[in-house]
mmCIF file of all heavy atoms in Angstrom:
data_model
loop_
_atom_site.group_PDB
_atom_site.id
_atom_site.type_symbol
_atom_site.label_atom_id
_atom_site.label_comp_id
_atom_site.label_asym_id
_atom_site.label_seq_id
_atom_site.Cartn_x
_atom_site.Cartn_y
_atom_site.Cartn_z
ATOM 1 N N PRO V 274 10.908 -9.401 -9.803
ATOM 2 C CA PRO V 274 10.089 -9.499 -8.581
ATOM 3 C C PRO V 274 10.357 -8.356 -7.599
ATOM 4 O O PRO V 274 9.503 -8.033 -6.795
ATOM 5 C CB PRO V 274 10.506 -10.849 -7.993
ATOM 6 C CG PRO V 274 10.991 -11.636 -9.161
ATOM 7 C CD PRO V 274 11.630 -10.642 -10.087
ATOM 8 N N PHE V 280 5.369 -3.940 -8.512
ATOM 9 C CA PHE V 280 4.684 -4.008 -7.224
ATOM 10 C C PHE V 280 3.464 -3.083 -7.200
ATOM 11 O O PHE V 280 2.357 -3.482 -6.846
ATOM 12 C CB PHE V 280 5.680 -3.616 -6.133
ATOM 13 C CG PHE V 280 5.149 -3.718 -4.745
ATOM 14 C CD1 PHE V 280 5.038 -4.941 -4.124
ATOM 15 C CD2 PHE V 280 4.771 -2.588 -4.057
ATOM 16 C CE1 PHE V 280 4.545 -5.040 -2.836
ATOM 17 C CE2 PHE V 280 4.284 -2.670 -2.769
ATOM 18 C CZ PHE V 280 4.167 -3.901 -2.157
ATOM 19 N N SER A 173 2.877 -14.635 5.796
ATOM 20 C CA SER A 173 4.292 -14.906 5.515
ATOM 21 C C SER A 173 5.061 -14.986 6.830
ATOM 22 O O SER A 173 4.565 -14.566 7.873
ATOM 23 C CB SER A 173 4.896 -13.843 4.595
ATOM 24 O OG SER A 173 4.811 -12.569 5.166
ATOM 25 N N SER A 174 6.288 -15.522 6.778
ATOM 26 C CA SER A 174 7.041 -15.838 7.999
ATOM 27 C C SER A 174 6.130 -16.611 8.938
ATOM 28 O O SER A 174 6.061 -16.325 10.134
ATOM 29 C CB SER A 174 7.533 -14.575 8.721
ATOM 30 O OG SER A 174 8.699 -14.090 8.153
ATOM 31 N N TYR A 238 -3.800 -10.717 3.204
ATOM 32 C CA TYR A 238 -2.391 -11.124 3.309
ATOM 33 C C TYR A 238 -1.796 -10.425 4.521
ATOM 34 O O TYR A 238 -1.808 -9.196 4.607
ATOM 35 C CB TYR A 238 -1.636 -10.747 2.028
ATOM 36 C CG TYR A 238 -0.143 -10.978 2.100
ATOM 37 C CD1 TYR A 238 0.380 -12.147 2.648
ATOM 38 C CD2 TYR A 238 0.759 -10.037 1.620
ATOM 39 C CE1 TYR A 238 1.747 -12.364 2.719
ATOM 40 C CE2 TYR A 238 2.126 -10.244 1.676
ATOM 41 C CZ TYR A 238 2.616 -11.414 2.225
ATOM 42 O OH TYR A 238 3.972 -11.613 2.302
ATOM 43 N N PHE A 239 -1.309 -11.214 5.449
ATOM 44 C CA PHE A 239 -0.631 -10.678 6.630
ATOM 45 C C PHE A 239 0.861 -10.764 6.327
ATOM 46 O O PHE A 239 1.437 -11.847 6.293
ATOM 47 C CB PHE A 239 -0.989 -11.528 7.852
ATOM 48 C CG PHE A 239 -0.508 -10.958 9.159
ATOM 49 C CD1 PHE A 239 -1.386 -10.309 10.017
ATOM 50 C CD2 PHE A 239 0.820 -11.059 9.537
ATOM 51 C CE1 PHE A 239 -0.942 -9.785 11.234
ATOM 52 C CE2 PHE A 239 1.266 -10.524 10.744
ATOM 53 C CZ PHE A 239 0.379 -9.892 11.598
ATOM 54 N N ASP A 240 1.480 -9.606 6.073
ATOM 55 C CA ASP A 240 2.843 -9.594 5.539
ATOM 56 C C ASP A 240 3.871 -9.291 6.621
ATOM 57 O O ASP A 240 3.816 -8.254 7.269
ATOM 58 C CB ASP A 240 2.939 -8.536 4.426
ATOM 59 C CG ASP A 240 4.248 -8.636 3.643
ATOM 60 O OD1 ASP A 240 5.005 -9.597 3.863
ATOM 61 O OD2 ASP A 240 4.502 -7.757 2.799
ATOM 62 N N ASN A 241 4.816 -10.207 6.773
ATOM 63 C CA ASN A 241 5.926 -9.994 7.697
ATOM 64 C C ASN A 241 7.255 -9.797 6.988
ATOM 65 O O ASN A 241 8.271 -9.602 7.649
ATOM 66 C CB ASN A 241 6.074 -11.214 8.618
ATOM 67 C CG ASN A 241 4.965 -11.301 9.639
ATOM 68 O OD1 ASN A 241 4.775 -10.389 10.433
ATOM 69 N ND2 ASN A 241 4.215 -12.386 9.613
ATOM 70 N N VAL A 242 7.265 -9.886 5.643
ATOM 71 C CA VAL A 242 8.560 -9.933 4.959
ATOM 72 C C VAL A 242 8.758 -8.941 3.829
ATOM 73 O O VAL A 242 9.872 -8.502 3.574
ATOM 74 C CB VAL A 242 8.843 -11.353 4.406
ATOM 75 C CG1 VAL A 242 8.934 -12.361 5.536
ATOM 76 C CG2 VAL A 242 7.815 -11.776 3.393
ATOM 77 N N GLY A 243 7.730 -8.565 3.086
ATOM 78 C CA GLY A 243 7.925 -7.724 1.905
ATOM 79 C C GLY A 243 8.637 -8.482 0.791
ATOM 80 O O GLY A 243 8.658 -9.718 0.771
ATOM 81 N N GLY A 244 9.229 -7.725 -0.130
ATOM 82 C CA GLY A 244 10.082 -8.278 -1.176
ATOM 83 C C GLY A 244 9.390 -9.270 -2.095
ATOM 84 O O GLY A 244 8.202 -9.160 -2.383
ATOM 85 N N GLU A 245 10.171 -10.263 -2.558
ATOM 86 C CA GLU A 245 9.661 -11.184 -3.576
ATOM 87 C C GLU A 245 8.548 -12.075 -3.049
ATOM 88 O O GLU A 245 7.647 -12.465 -3.786
ATOM 89 C CB GLU A 245 10.801 -12.061 -4.111
ATOM 90 C CG GLU A 245 11.868 -11.231 -4.767
ATOM 91 C CD GLU A 245 12.927 -12.077 -5.444
ATOM 92 O OE1 GLU A 245 12.657 -13.265 -5.705
ATOM 93 O OE2 GLU A 245 14.010 -11.539 -5.715
ATOM 94 N N VAL A 246 8.621 -12.428 -1.751
ATOM 95 C CA VAL A 246 7.555 -13.247 -1.172
ATOM 96 C C VAL A 246 6.240 -12.459 -1.190
ATOM 97 O O VAL A 246 5.186 -12.983 -1.553
ATOM 98 C CB VAL A 246 7.924 -13.700 0.259
ATOM 99 C CG1 VAL A 246 6.710 -14.263 0.978
ATOM 100 C CG2 VAL A 246 9.044 -14.734 0.210
ATOM 101 N N ALA A 247 6.312 -11.179 -0.839
ATOM 102 C CA ALA A 247 5.108 -10.344 -0.863
ATOM 103 C C ALA A 247 4.554 -10.251 -2.283
ATOM 104 O O ALA A 247 3.339 -10.347 -2.501
ATOM 105 C CB ALA A 247 5.416 -8.953 -0.326
ATOM 106 N N MET A 248 5.451 -10.068 -3.239
ATOM 107 C CA MET A 248 5.014 -9.952 -4.633
ATOM 108 C C MET A 248 4.251 -11.217 -5.038
ATOM 109 O O MET A 248 3.210 -11.140 -5.705
ATOM 110 C CB MET A 248 6.253 -9.773 -5.497
ATOM 111 C CG MET A 248 6.003 -9.112 -6.790
ATOM 112 S SD MET A 248 6.035 -7.292 -6.678
ATOM 113 C CE MET A 248 7.762 -6.938 -6.868
ATOM 114 N N ALA A 249 4.767 -12.383 -4.640
ATOM 115 C CA ALA A 249 4.080 -13.641 -4.970
ATOM 116 C C ALA A 249 2.727 -13.699 -4.260
ATOM 117 O O ALA A 249 1.717 -14.115 -4.836
ATOM 118 C CB ALA A 249 4.944 -14.834 -4.571
ATOM 119 N N ALA A 250 2.679 -13.278 -3.007
ATOM 120 C CA ALA A 250 1.421 -13.307 -2.251
ATOM 121 C C ALA A 250 0.393 -12.366 -2.877
ATOM 122 O O ALA A 250 -0.775 -12.724 -3.017
ATOM 123 C CB ALA A 250 1.675 -12.931 -0.794
ATOM 124 N N TYR A 251 0.832 -11.164 -3.260
ATOM 125 C CA TYR A 251 -0.088 -10.212 -3.900
ATOM 126 C C TYR A 251 -0.709 -10.850 -5.138
ATOM 127 O O TYR A 251 -1.874 -10.643 -5.443
ATOM 128 C CB TYR A 251 0.635 -8.925 -4.308
ATOM 129 C CG TYR A 251 0.885 -7.946 -3.183
ATOM 130 C CD1 TYR A 251 1.111 -8.375 -1.885
ATOM 131 C CD2 TYR A 251 0.905 -6.580 -3.416
ATOM 132 C CE1 TYR A 251 1.352 -7.478 -0.861
ATOM 133 C CE2 TYR A 251 1.143 -5.669 -2.400
ATOM 134 C CZ TYR A 251 1.369 -6.118 -1.127
ATOM 135 O OH TYR A 251 1.603 -5.219 -0.123
ATOM 136 N N LEU A 262 0.241 -4.879 6.724
ATOM 137 C CA LEU A 262 1.699 -4.839 6.618
ATOM 138 C C LEU A 262 2.291 -4.734 8.018
ATOM 139 O O LEU A 262 2.202 -3.700 8.666
ATOM 140 C CB LEU A 262 2.120 -3.646 5.751
ATOM 141 C CG LEU A 262 3.606 -3.502 5.482
ATOM 142 C CD1 LEU A 262 4.165 -4.755 4.842
ATOM 143 C CD2 LEU A 262 3.864 -2.300 4.597
ATOM 144 N N CYS A 263 2.852 -5.836 8.462
ATOM 145 C CA CYS A 263 3.308 -5.942 9.842
ATOM 146 C C CYS A 263 4.816 -5.857 9.947
ATOM 147 O O CYS A 263 5.362 -5.287 10.873
ATOM 148 C CB CYS A 263 2.830 -7.275 10.406
ATOM 149 S SG CYS A 263 3.426 -7.610 12.041
ATOM 150 N N GLY A 264 5.517 -6.452 8.995
ATOM 151 C CA GLY A 264 6.976 -6.469 9.059
ATOM 152 C C GLY A 264 7.555 -6.617 7.683
ATOM 153 O O GLY A 264 6.858 -6.953 6.725
ATOM 154 N N LEU A 265 8.853 -6.344 7.583
ATOM 155 C CA LEU A 265 9.525 -6.344 6.278
ATOM 156 C C LEU A 265 10.868 -7.036 6.386
ATOM 157 O O LEU A 265 11.897 -6.467 6.008
ATOM 158 C CB LEU A 265 9.730 -4.893 5.805
ATOM 159 C CG LEU A 265 8.474 -4.126 5.436
ATOM 160 C CD1 LEU A 265 8.819 -2.669 5.133
ATOM 161 C CD2 LEU A 265 7.804 -4.759 4.224
ATOM 162 N N LEU A 266 10.860 -8.282 6.875
ATOM 163 C CA LEU A 266 12.126 -8.957 7.133
ATOM 164 C C LEU A 266 13.075 -8.891 5.938
ATOM 165 O O LEU A 266 14.274 -8.721 6.102
ATOM 166 C CB LEU A 266 11.859 -10.416 7.525
ATOM 167 C CG LEU A 266 13.012 -11.166 8.172
ATOM 168 C CD1 LEU A 266 13.545 -10.450 9.403
ATOM 169 C CD2 LEU A 266 12.592 -12.579 8.557
ATOM 170 N N SER A 267 12.545 -8.982 4.732
ATOM 171 C CA SER A 267 13.437 -8.993 3.564
ATOM 172 C C SER A 267 14.013 -7.616 3.269
ATOM 173 O O SER A 267 14.919 -7.495 2.445
ATOM 174 C CB SER A 267 12.707 -9.521 2.330
ATOM 175 O OG SER A 267 11.822 -8.545 1.828
ATOM 176 N N HIS A 268 13.486 -6.571 3.896
ATOM 177 C CA HIS A 268 14.016 -5.227 3.631
ATOM 178 C C HIS A 268 14.760 -4.630 4.823
ATOM 179 O O HIS A 268 15.176 -3.488 4.775
ATOM 180 C CB HIS A 268 12.881 -4.274 3.220
ATOM 181 C CG HIS A 268 12.186 -4.670 1.962
ATOM 182 N ND1 HIS A 268 12.839 -4.789 0.752
ATOM 183 C CD2 HIS A 268 10.898 -4.993 1.709
ATOM 184 C CE1 HIS A 268 11.967 -5.166 -0.185
ATOM 185 N NE2 HIS A 268 10.795 -5.299 0.381
ATOM 186 N N LEU A 279 12.179 -0.564 -4.154
ATOM 187 C CA LEU A 279 11.001 -1.147 -3.514
ATOM 188 C C LEU A 279 11.130 -1.183 -1.993
ATOM 189 O O LEU A 279 10.182 -0.889 -1.265
ATOM 190 C CB LEU A 279 10.764 -2.559 -4.054
ATOM 191 C CG LEU A 279 9.594 -3.331 -3.440
ATOM 192 C CD1 LEU A 279 8.279 -2.622 -3.711
ATOM 193 C CD2 LEU A 279 9.553 -4.749 -3.979
ATOM 194 N N GLY A 280 12.337 -1.536 -1.501
ATOM 195 C CA GLY A 280 12.529 -1.610 -0.056
ATOM 196 C C GLY A 280 12.332 -0.258 0.601
ATOM 197 O O GLY A 280 11.673 -0.140 1.638
ATOM 198 N N MET A 283 8.597 0.453 0.697
ATOM 199 C CA MET A 283 7.830 -0.293 1.694
ATOM 200 C C MET A 283 8.197 0.140 3.108
ATOM 201 O O MET A 283 7.348 0.171 4.000
ATOM 202 C CB MET A 283 8.040 -1.787 1.500
ATOM 203 C CG MET A 283 7.470 -2.232 0.160
ATOM 204 S SD MET A 283 7.330 -4.023 0.017
ATOM 205 C CE MET A 283 5.838 -4.315 0.966
ATOM 206 N N MET A 287 5.688 1.481 5.990
ATOM 207 C CA MET A 287 5.659 0.884 7.308
ATOM 208 C C MET A 287 6.002 1.864 8.418
ATOM 209 O O MET A 287 5.315 1.922 9.437
ATOM 210 C CB MET A 287 6.632 -0.272 7.333
ATOM 211 C CG MET A 287 6.612 -0.906 8.660
ATOM 212 S SD MET A 287 6.819 -2.635 8.507
ATOM 213 C CE MET A 287 7.583 -2.871 10.085
#
Side-chain angles (χ1 to χ4, degrees):
Chain V
F280 184 77
Chain A
S173 60
S174 278
Y238 173 44
F239 188 103
D240 191 7
N241 288 301
V242 297
E245 298 187 19
V246 167
M248 204 86 86
Y251 281 32
L262 183 56
C263 175
L265 292 174
L266 195 55
S267 75
H268 298 300
L279 178 62
M283 295 193 79
M287 181 144 152

